[in-house]
Amino acid sequence: GDWSSDVCSSDLTKSHETRAFRPIIEEGDFWAYDGTGVRAGRFTQTARGKTLIRNITAYSMSSEENRKFIIDEDLNLLEVHKDGAVLLENAPVMKIFDWPLKIGKSWKTSGVRTVKGQPDFNFDLDVKVEQHGLIDTQLGPLEVYYLKAQGSYGGAIAQEIWYSPKLRAPARMV
């Protein structure tokens, strides 16, 4: 599946190199995404404040279908809850973001993902900041960092992420 914010529509073009630092999320911040394929439809996330999960300070993000996403202060997914029950847990956190972002920076992340009603599986990913530049959007040019995560995630995976400092979130993920 592929999901993107409603502003993302084009390919990356090169611009000057810089760094992106960890964003600050505040209660009430809101994001809307349009999904395609398996994740088709409009999705929203709203920051509902901070919480403490497994001794990690995290943001509680509400979404559709009474879902709550728990992300650490680095924007990495810890847990997904529905109706108060834990549906998904990454232990330790799946570190897709490692701040500051800079072209050429790379890191590894590994652990176990537990999904309610399914067998646990290991994840073992290499993540790298491949490019920095501008993409054309409905709102004009948008600065992004292009990250690629490759490895195993219950099977082979290659995930692409276009992180936008302005949006303080991914502008697109494939």
Side-chain angles (χ1 to χ4, degrees):
D2 169 4
W3 65 268
S4 61
S5 70
D6 48 357
V7 298
C8 188
S9 65
S10 184
D11 293 325
L12 189 66
T13 58
K14 293 182 180 179
S15 73
H16 67 285
E17 183 180 341
T18 186
R19 293 179 185 204
F21 295 93
R22 183 175 81 183
I24 303 298
I25 307 297
E26 296 182 16
E27 189 169 348
D29 287 349
F30 174 88
W31 293 266
Y33 298 98
D34 290 326
T36 61
V38 175
R39 299 178 185 152
R42 165 97 11 172
F43 302 95
T44 60
Q45 287 188 336
T46 304
R48 298 295 181 200
K50 288 191 176 182
T51 186
L52 191 64
I53 300 286
R54 301 188 317 246
N55 290 324
I56 299 170
T57 301
Y59 297 111
S60 177
M61 311 289 287
S62 65
S63 191
E64 289 79 14
E65 301 172 353
N66 294 320
R67 290 183 188 247
K68 181 168 56 170
F69 292 81
I70 307 297
I71 59 173
D72 71 7
E73 292 181 300
D74 288 333
L75 305 185
N76 298 302
L77 182 65
L78 289 163
E79 297 179 357
V80 177
H81 298 195
K82 183 173 181 179
D83 299 324
V86 177
L87 290 181
L88 178 149
E89 178 180 9
N90 290 324
V93 66
M94 184 184 293
K95 194 169 189 69
I96 297 298
F97 297 104
D98 187 25
W99 307 99
L101 300 180
K102 181 180 178 179
I103 293 173
K105 183 175 182 178
S106 62
W107 58 95
K108 293 182 177 292
T109 184
S110 60
V112 176
R113 173 166 277 191
T114 302
V115 179
K116 186 176 180 179
Q118 298 178 17
D120 293 356
F121 63 85
N122 295 326
F123 60 86
D124 188 18
L125 301 172
D126 294 307
V127 184
K128 184 174 183 184
V129 181
E130 300 274 344
Q131 296 179 43
H132 167 253
L134 301 174
I135 56 173
D136 292 325
T137 72
Q138 295 171 4
L139 302 174
L142 184 66
E143 175 191 16
V144 295
Y145 288 80
Y146 172 70
L147 291 78
K148 193 162 193 178
Q150 295 181 299
S152 66
Y153 179 80
I157 186 173
Q159 184 173 24
E160 299 173 275
I161 300 131
W162 289 260
Y163 172 79
S164 166
K166 182 177 182 176
L167 298 177
R168 295 174 296 143
R172 180 178 180 161
M173 294 177 73
V174 177

